[in-house]
Each structure stands twice: as structure tokens, then as C-alpha cells.
């Protein structure tokens, strides 16, 4: 027991350190797969010893029971806001007032005040209280004196330390900062919201606010929230930047853009620089914040009514503007989803001429209440597609008219249907209307066909180079290809008839098609273009199930045992393989007499992908009415087998469960469809070696797990794609540029800058022949 406890403490400390490297220092110390492995080990130990679980364990960032309302909290020191500047003159004036108030000598333009410079993050302000180094409370700003206690939500934010590192922190300490969502996180969130028919957020700030103020902290836990600390109200060091540096040493995330400036002119330089780099930053900022760096001088300067005299926010010009909604067009995507796109009267916004904006879906149009002819406010953040934010109702013309989803597909004319959402709750399937509309004709609609062929041949999928978008469009329009399988039946004389394809290119293309016939299982699954199955999920499916046959017949409940596969995706996978048209295409692709593709099946399970389902989790996945995961586990402990639960003696069941729950279990299994389905899941777990009693197959500890490789220059003997696949099959991560984290470099001809950097860092470099012998050592022949 003591040994287990020590092991748990060791794993927690290790995970905390890796989290710190990843979130705070931005320098990952291990690969995602290794992290997941440690995390799963800790979870398993804690599940076996629930009495050893503590609030601050890294496994506890998952949220808890939903609240009815947030309690109010008082900020002992009010959370004030900042004065704003919109031009350099106001900034210079701010500095003059600082210098005057501090009574500093004004010697002809001499720069005397030291300022800290930080980006102004666009999220929401949060206060965090630490007692004895442990997070004890998180609160929103509210009206600056009274905020809301969002402690349970704050605990789910991955980069907020639940416990400070090191020592020497004040017994009571309050830090403040911004909770925000990165640009990438925001994009991902809206895509998944759209899929489940949830609210679409107009911008990352609204998404962060909405997510942090959720009464159900499990929802908060599922949102990509991040924290950046920008102040501490407790005395620590003599300057603001030293305070932040010290906080970072204790594990607190601070801005990577924090700088010092001597005098206001240097502040203006910082502003110009960060404004220029704004689009390439991973998060939204709406300006820069400048603070007098000395805490003593800050005290001397004090506050006006609502803002400090020692700080100012220099805001960027607005990214919003007014324009007219001229029309709404409808675009058909790869999976047939029809998306409304706003056609706008062209208008310049942050230096770019904008003439269209995304409207997401029909629910979003209803939410905005937008009509064609309306004047709308559009917002453009970074390189993100502009969005329609709101409507100026007062300017609505008399002839404005409603936006309507066409009844037939704008490309192929076939009927448009509304998507359905299927959820299992309390043992029943609940089907509701989704927010999306789809062209019913799927792959026979030329818009979808073109998109899915473009995806199928793309570099990360089947990888047929030389088959560009324009060529594909022509091939589909001329009806030379009607499915991915037709690619393999193309003849050079057909390709040569296409515009822009010369004789030599057509011959090269035929060779590229021929060379693409041995994809890995993961690439093939990804190439099929199943909705929501990206490269990562495709790899998980291949690495955990090992063959296409298994992926094809896997039940959704079994799929949800795999890392990162939720019920929604599991259903998409199931329905894709249930579709007879898809089945036909797959068998044509794999038939030696037709296309002759040969999948390189995954040979062995690799450590992170060995899955052992438990009886408790199986019972939980059945969604028996009123049976949660705790009760499911109780049933499992008592009856030890599915058969035991199905045939449980009533008295015995009553022994562990109240009458209502015992009855629910009984009623559920009295329905033979339910029993058969549960048995089918169990059988599949056995077939796939995932059952709790299955002997674990030989687990290969992949030799290159945790190693990052770089390929550079051009290779003669093997294609780069193949090299990447091979390295990945050995567990390595392959990236494009050399850094201190690189483990080994494979250098072909003409490699220059990467090679120079590798030499500078003293890294291991293999030429192509050496690499081939490295592969041979791992029994891979090329
Ligand atoms: S300092 C008393 N620093 O901007 C000064 N605020 O308009 C407290 N903000 O409520 C704020 N980035 O939510 C500070 N680097 C930064 C900031 C920042 C964003 C937000 C914060 C505050 C608002 C003030």
C-alpha cells in the first residue's frame, strides 16, 4: 500500500513537471503518447485505490457535479480596469503624467521610466487565491468588487497550477490574469459545437466567457481554456516583471511576450512590433499593456476612480466594420454539408478587402436574425475567415428578405435533408434534429465527389502527387471518375485529353497512381474521408484495432474505448461502414482484380494502444436508466461477469442496490434486444483482445517512442512519405525542422539549413544509406 502511494506521488510529480514544461515553458519534455501512458497509469492506480485520490491530482481536472448557481465572492482588492489609448499622442501624454506625478527630472527628452510591456489578451479576468501553495479559490471579475466563485471550473483549466512548485511562496497569495481560448482551440470548439448542434461562438472571448461560466464544470473541462497570469496583489519582489518571473518559477503561466522598455518610445516600438506579429500569434490580442515596472512607484502613483495611474492599454484599431449583406450563397462540402456564406458589399477591414463571411449554419442565421439587404457588423480576427457578428436592425431596408435553405442541392439538384443527432440516454436512443443540412445524394453529387477525391489523393492520405484540384475537377466533370476506385482505372490517353496536363505529366501521374497502392492502414482509413475522422483518429483506429476488417465491424460502444474516440465519432464510423455504397467502393479498391490496393496492416499493438475494457465500464456504456458509473462498478464487483449481471438473483441484486435501481437493471435485461446487444459488445471485446479476461497480445515497446526525427533534403532510394510512415511505425514523431529537441536527422541531397543547425547542435545525422541500415536493424526492408 505504501509502495502504491509512493508510486502515485511519483507519477503525479512527474506529470506536473511535464505539464509545466508543456504549458508554462512551452518546451514539451516528452511525447504526447508517453504523457498519455503515464496519465493512464496514474488513473488506473487511482481507480484501484480511490482513497488515495486527492483534489490536486492531475487526473482531477475533469469537472464534477453541476451547480445550481455560482456563489458571490468579494474581492478584497477591487479588480479595476485599465485606461485606454488609441494613438501614440495619448501614450506620450500618459508618460508625461507619470513623470510629472513622480516628480522625476524632465531633462530634454531623457527617458527615465521603466515600463513592462505585455500583450493585452482578449479573454476574461480571473482572480486565483493560493493558500500554502494550494489553489483554494477562483473568481471572475464581476462588477470589480463582487465576482462569482468559479473555483470548480478554474480547476479544470489545464495550465492553472493546482499546487505551486518549489517553495517560498507567501502563505496567502492572490494572482490575477486572463482566461482565454487560443485561435486553434476556438476553431476546433466551433467545429465540434456545429457537429453536436451546440451554440456557435462569435469570437474566442465569448467562447472563453461562456465556457468559464458554465454551471456544469464537466462542460468547462471539455473546453480548450488557458490562463495567463498578469499580476499578483501580494508583495513578492520589487518590480512587476520580477514578480511575474518568480510566479513562473512557481509554475504559473505568464506571457512569452513579456518585455521591459526604457521610456515611452521603446513602448511604442513594442506596440508596433506586436501589432505586426498579431496574426501569427496563437491567441487573440486586442492591444498591448504598459505598466510602470517598479512596485514602489506604482504605489506612489496610485489610482484614479476605476483605473491605475501606472498602467495603460494601447488598443489596436477596431477589427469590426459595417457593410451590407448582398446575398447568401450555399456551398457544398466534402461530406455534403451545405453551409451558408454571406456575400457582402466589399469593404476594407484591417487592410484586407472583405467580400464574404461565414454564417456557419441556419441556426446561426436565426440567432443573428439576419435578412438579405441588412446592414451587418463584421469582425475579422487574424487570419480567421471574417464573421457576421450582428445586425443593425435600425438600418433594415423595407425590401429586406429572409434567408432560406434551398430545397435542392445547389450543385446536383437532389433533395436537401436535415441532419439527425443520435444520443443514447437512459437506455434509449434519442433522435433529434441537427442544425446542419446535407445534400442527400452523397458521393454522386459532383461537389462532394470532387472534394472527397481531392481529400483521398492528398499528401497525408493516399498521396498521389500530380493529381491537382483542377485535374480532379475536369476528371469528375467529364465523368472519367465517379469514385476513388476509378482513379486506379485511368488510362494515359484519358488523362492526356485534360487541359493543362502534358504527355510527360500524364505518364508521371500513372506511375504515382501505381505507387500509391500500398498505403498504411491509418492512411487508408483517413483517406476514406469519414466525417470527423482526422489523421489522429485514423492512427488510433489502426494502432488499436490492427486491421480494416475490425474497424469495419467495430460497434460504437467498443470504439469509444479507444483514446479520443467519443460516441459521436463512433457513430459516424459505424454508419460510414454500414453504407452499402461505401462498402462497394472499399471492396473495389481492395480487390486484386479491380484496383489492387494492398493495405500495410499494423503488425503489433504498441504500448499506448493496448486497451483493457472492464465489466464496470461495459455496463456503464449500456446507459441503463438510473445506473451511473458508480453503480455499474458495484454490479461488476458483485457479479463479476456480464452473464452474472443478466441472470442476477433479485435478492442478491437488492442486497447492493435500492429497489428502483435493481428494477431498472432487471427491466433493461428483460428486453432481449438489450441483452443481445450487450453480449455482442462483450463478444467483440473478446475478438479484439480488449476483454478484461483476454490475455494481452504481445505488446511491442516501440523503440523510437519519444524520439523526434527530422527528414531533410531529397532522398533517392525511398520516398519521404515512406520514410515518415516507417519512422512513425517505430513510434517516432517526424517534424520538418531541426531544434534542440531533435533526436536524429536523416539528410538527403541538397540539405542545407537543417543540416547546418544539426551540426551546430551536435545532433546525430544519418545519410540515406545509413538510414536504410538503421531500418534493416529493425527488420524493415525497403
Ligand atoms: S492589468 C489594474 N494586464 O484588460 C490593472 N490586464 O481593461 C489590471 N487584460 O480586466 C489589469 N491583458 O482582463 C492587465 N496584460 C494584461 C492584460 C489585462 C488583458 C484585461 C484584463 C482587464 C482588462 C482591463
Amino acid at each position: 500500500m505504501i509502495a502504491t502511494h509512493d508510486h502515485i506521488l511519483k507519477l503525479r510529480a512527474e506529470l506536473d513537471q511535464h505539464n509545466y514544461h508543456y504549458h508554462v515553458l512551452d518546451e514539451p519534455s516528452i511525447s504526447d503518447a508517453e504523457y498519455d501512458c503515464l496519465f493512464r497509469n496514474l488513473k488506473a492506480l487511482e481507480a484501484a485505490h480511490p482513497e488515495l485520490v486527492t483534489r490536486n491530482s492531475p487526473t482531477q481536472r475533469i469537472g464534477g457535479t453541476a451547480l445550481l448557481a455560482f456563489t458571490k465572492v468579494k474581492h478584497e482588492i477591487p479588480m479595476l480596469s485599465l485606461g485606454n489609448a488609441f494613438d501614440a499622442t495619448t501614450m506620450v501624454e500618459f508618460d508625461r503624467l507619470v513623470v510629472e506625478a513622480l516628480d522625476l527630472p524632465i531633462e530634454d527628452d531623457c527617458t527615465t521610466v521603466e515600463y513592462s510591456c505585455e500583450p493585452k489578451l482578449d479573454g476574461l479576468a480571473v482572480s486565483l487565491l493560493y493558500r500554502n501553495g494550494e489553489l483554494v479559490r477562483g473568481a471572475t471579475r464581476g462588477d470589480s468588487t463582487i465576482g462569482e466563485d468559479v473555483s470548480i471550473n478554474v480547476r479544470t483549466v489545464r495550465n492553472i497550477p493546482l499546487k505551486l512548485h518549489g517553495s517560498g511562496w507567501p502563505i496567502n497569495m492572490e494572482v490575477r490574469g486572463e482566461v482565454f481560448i487560443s485561435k486553434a482551440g476556438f476553431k476546433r470548439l466551433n467545429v465540434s459545437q456545429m457537429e453536436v448542434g451546440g451554440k456557435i461562438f462569435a469570437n474566442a472571448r465569448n467562447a472563453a466567457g461562456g465556457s468559464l461560466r458554465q454551471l456544469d464544470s464537466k462542460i468547462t473541462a471539455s473546453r480548450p481554456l488557458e490562463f495567463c497570469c498578469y499580476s499578483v496583489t501580494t508583495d513578492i519582489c520589487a518590480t512587476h516583471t520580477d514578480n511575474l518571473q518568480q510566479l513562473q518559477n512557481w509554475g504559473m503561466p505568464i506571457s512569452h511576450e513579456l518585455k521591459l522598455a526604457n521610456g515611452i518610445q521603446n513602448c511604442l516600438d513594442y506596440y508596433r512590433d506586436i501589432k505586426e506579429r498579431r496574426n501569427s500569434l496563437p491567441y487573440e490580442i486586442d492591444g498591448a499593456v504598459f505598466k510602470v515596472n517598479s512596485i514602489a512607484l506604482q504605489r506612489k502613483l496610485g489610482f484614479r476612480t476605476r483605473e491605475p495611474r501606472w498602467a495603460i492599454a494601447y488598443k489596436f484599431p477596431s477589427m469590426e466594420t459595417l457593410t451590407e449583406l448582398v446575398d447568401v450563397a450555399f456551398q457544398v462540402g466534402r461530406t455534403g454539408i451545405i453551409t451558408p456564406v454571406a456575400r457582402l458589399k466589399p469593404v476594407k477591414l484591417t487592410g484586407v478587402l472583405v467580400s464574404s463571411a461565414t454564417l456557419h449554419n441556419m441556426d446561426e442565421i436565426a440567432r443573428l436574425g439576419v435578412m438579405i439587404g441588412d446592414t451587418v457588423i463584421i469582425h475579422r480576427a487574424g487570419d480567421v475567415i471574417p464573421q457576421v457578428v450582428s445586425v443593425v436592425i435600425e438600418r433594415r431596408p423595407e425590401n429586406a428578405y429572409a434567408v432560406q435553405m434551398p430545397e435542392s442541392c445547389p450543385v446536383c439538384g437532389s433533395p436537401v435533408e436535415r441532419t439527425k443527432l443520435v444520443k443514447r440516454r437512459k437506455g434509449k436512443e434519442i433522435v433529434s434534429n441537427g442544425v446542419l443540412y446535407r445534400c442527400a445524394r452523397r458521393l454522386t453529387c459532383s461537389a462532394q465527389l470532387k472534394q472527397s477525391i481531392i481529400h483521398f489523393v492528398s499528401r497525408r492520405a493516399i498521396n498521389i502527387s500530380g493529381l491537382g484540384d483542377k485535374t480532379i475537377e475536369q476528371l469528375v466533370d467529364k465523368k472519367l471518375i465517379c469514385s476513388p476506385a476509378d482513379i486506379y482505372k485511368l488510362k494515359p490517353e484519358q488523362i492526356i485529353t485534360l487541359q493543362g496536363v502534358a504527355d510527360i505529366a500524364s505518364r508521371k501521374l500513372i506511375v504515382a497512381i501505381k505507387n500509391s497502392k500500398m498505403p498504411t492502414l491509418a492512411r487508408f482509413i483517413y483517406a476514406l474521408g469519414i466525417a470527423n475522422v482526422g489523421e489522429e483518429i485514423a492512427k488510433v483506429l489502426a494502432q488499436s484495432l490492427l486491421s480494416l476488417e475490425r474497424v469495419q465491424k467495430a460497434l460504437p460502444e467498443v470504439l469509444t474505448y479507444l483514446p479520443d474516440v467519443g460516441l459521436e465519432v463512433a457513430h459516424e464510423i459505424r454508419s460510414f461502414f454500414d453504407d452499402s455504397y461505401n462498402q462497394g467502393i472499399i471492396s473495389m479498391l481492395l480487390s486484386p482484380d479491380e484496383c489492387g490496393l494492398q493495405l500495410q496492416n499494423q503488425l503489433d499493438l504498441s504500448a499506448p494502444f493496448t486497451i483493457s475494457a472492464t465489466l464496470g465500464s461495459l455496463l456503464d456504456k449500456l446507459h441503463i436508466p438510473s445506473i451511473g458509473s458508480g453503480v455499474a462498478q458495484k454490479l461488476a464487483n458483485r457479479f463479476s461477469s456480464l452473464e452474472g449481471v443478466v441472470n442476477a438473483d433479485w435478492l442478491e441484486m437488492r442486497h447492493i442496490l435500492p429497489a428502483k435501481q435493481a428494477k431498472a437493471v432487471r427491466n433493461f435485461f428483460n428486453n432481449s434486444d438489450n441483452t443481445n446487444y450487450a453480449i455482442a459488445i462483450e463478444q467483440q471485446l473478446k475478438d479484439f483482445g480488449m476483454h478484461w479476461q483476454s490475455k494481452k497480445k504481445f505488446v511491442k515497446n516501440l523503440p523510437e517512442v519519444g524520439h523526434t526525427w527530422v527528414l531533410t533534403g531529397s532522398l533517392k532510394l525511398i520516398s519521404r512519405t515512406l520514410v515518415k510512415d516507417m519512422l512513425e511505425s517505430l513510434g517516432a514523431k517526424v517534424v520538418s525542422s531541426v531544434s534542440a529537441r531533435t533526436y536524429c536527422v536523416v539528410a538527403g541531397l541538397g540539405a542545407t539549413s537543417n543540416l547546418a543547425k544539426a551540426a551546430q547542435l551536435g545532433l546525430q545525422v544519418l545519410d540515406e544509406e545509413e538510414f536504410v541500415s538503421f531500418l534493416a536493424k529493425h527488420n524493415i526492408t525497403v
Side-chain angles (χ1 to χ4, degrees), residues 80-82 118-121 124-125 141 178 230 289 291 308 310:
L80 298 178
S81 70
L82 291 166
E118 303 158 36
K120 187 169 188 302
L121 293 163
L124 74 157
R141 172 168 179 253
E178 203 82 346
Y230 55 63
V289 179
K291 298 170 189 165
W310 43 264

Side-chain angles (χ1 to χ4, degrees), residues 134-198:
E134 299 219 359
L135 177 66
V136 288
R137 195 195 77 184
T140 60
R141 172 168 179 253
D143 66 0
S144 92
T145 355
I146 307 287
E148 285 176 323
D149 186 330
V150 286
S151 303
I152 53 166
N153 290 349
V154 151
R155 303 181 75 82
T156 69
V157 178
R158 297 287 183 282
N159 70 343
I160 292 185
L162 301 176
K163 196 171 177 326
L164 298 178
H165 299 188
S167 58
W169 5 266
I171 295 177
N172 286 302
M173 179 170 85
E174 181 191 4
V175 299
R176 292 176 175 178
E178 203 82 346
V179 163
F180 65 99
I181 290 184
S182 70
K183 290 176 188 168
F186 172 64
K187 262 193 210 160
R188 259 187 285 126
L189 174 60
N190 261 356
V191 168
S192 69
Q193 288 292 95
M194 205 143 98
E195 280 155 12
V196 297

Side-chain angles (χ1 to χ4, degrees), residues 1 9 56 106 144 305 307 323 450 468 472 485 488 594 633 645 678 709 762:
M1 187 68 164
L9 291 181
N56 289 342
I106 309 174
S144 92
T305 13
E307 59 203 43
T323 187
K450 283 175 189 168
I472 292 173
Y488 294 92
E594 307 232 20
Q633 193 52 52
V645 181
W709 286 65

Side-chain angles (χ1 to χ4, degrees), residues 178-442:
E178 203 82 346
V179 163
F180 65 99
I181 290 184
S182 70
K183 290 176 188 168
F186 172 64
K187 262 193 210 160
R188 259 187 285 126
L189 174 60
N190 261 356
V191 168
S192 69
Q193 288 292 95
M194 205 143 98
E195 280 155 12
V196 297
K199 178 184 157 68
I200 301 293
F201 295 101
N203 54 47
R205 179 162 44 113
N206 291 0
S211 303
L212 193 71
R213 296 195 63 263
Q214 280 288 336
L215 290 169
D216 182 350
S217 54
K218 286 210 175 71
I219 299 183
T220 312
S222 73
R223 303 279 171 84
L225 290 171
E226 291 175 49
F227 178 72
C228 177
C229 169
Y230 55 63
S231 78
V232 52
T233 64
T234 321
D235 278 342
I236 306 178
C237 304
T239 65
H240 170 66
T241 44
D242 284 351
N243 276 346
L244 292 185
Q245 193 52 58
Q246 177 58 70
L247 284 165
Q248 186 184 40
N249 295 341
W250 288 332
M252 193 64 69
I254 64 168
S255 173
H256 295 296
E257 300 289 341
L258 178 68
K259 299 245 157 67
L260 269 179
N262 235 320
I264 202 70
Q265 288 308 325
N266 286 342
C267 293
L268 297 180
D269 289 344
Y270 177 90
Y271 172 84
R272 271 188 290 270
D273 171 62
I274 203 147
K275 184 161 171 247
E276 223 158 76
R277 293 189 296 114
R278 174 185 193 181
N279 286 352
S280 55
L281 291 178
Y283 42 77
E284 296 292 347
I285 63 171
D286 57 348
V289 179
F290 301 95
K291 298 170 189 165
V292 170
N293 198 31
S294 151
I295 304 291
L297 295 187
Q298 286 188 2
R299 294 238 164 81
K300 213 164 160 191
L301 286 159
F303 292 84
R304 284 202 200 87
T305 13
R306 298 196 54 246
E307 59 203 43
R309 282 202 187 83
W310 43 264
I312 191 159
Y314 189 0
K315 301 272 272 290
F316 295 143
S318 167
M319 297 198 301
E320 290 186 353
T321 189
L322 292 182
T323 187
E324 191 189 317
L325 178 67
V326 185
D327 196 7
V328 172
F330 290 89
Q331 283 177 352
V332 190
R334 173 161 61 84
T335 52
I337 302 293
I338 300 182
T339 316
V341 179
R343 296 280 179 244
L344 305 165
K345 191 167 160 197
V347 62
K348 233 179 171 184
L349 185 53
T350 55
V352 174
L353 198 64
V354 175
S355 57
S356 62
T358 165
L359 281 163
H360 300 292
N361 57 45
M362 294 308 281
D363 270 24
E364 173 70 355
I365 290 177
R367 189 186 70 81
L368 291 166
V370 65
M371 295 172 87
I372 295 168
D374 268 339
T375 295
V376 289
I377 298 179
I378 57 163
H379 173 91
R380 177 173 179 270
D383 46 5
V384 179
I385 308 164
Q387 311 222 340
V388 175
V389 178
S390 59
V391 178
V392 188
I393 293 287
E394 307 81 59
R395 293 216 199 162
R396 175 166 288 166
E398 274 187 8
N399 59 356
Y401 58 98
V403 182
Q404 250 166 356
M405 174 58 69
E407 283 173 10
S408 50
C409 169
V411 176
C412 73
S414 49
V416 167
E417 59 186 22
R418 198 163 179 172
T419 52
K420 298 267 178 285
L421 276 183
V422 186
K423 282 210 173 109
R424 284 200 114 215
R425 199 174 294 150
K426 302 198 169 168
K428 285 193 200 121
E429 284 216 329
I430 304 167
V431 181
S432 57
N433 267 336
V435 285
L436 304 178
Y437 289 78
R438 218 173 202 166
C439 160
R441 224 199 256 169
R442 301 290 171 96

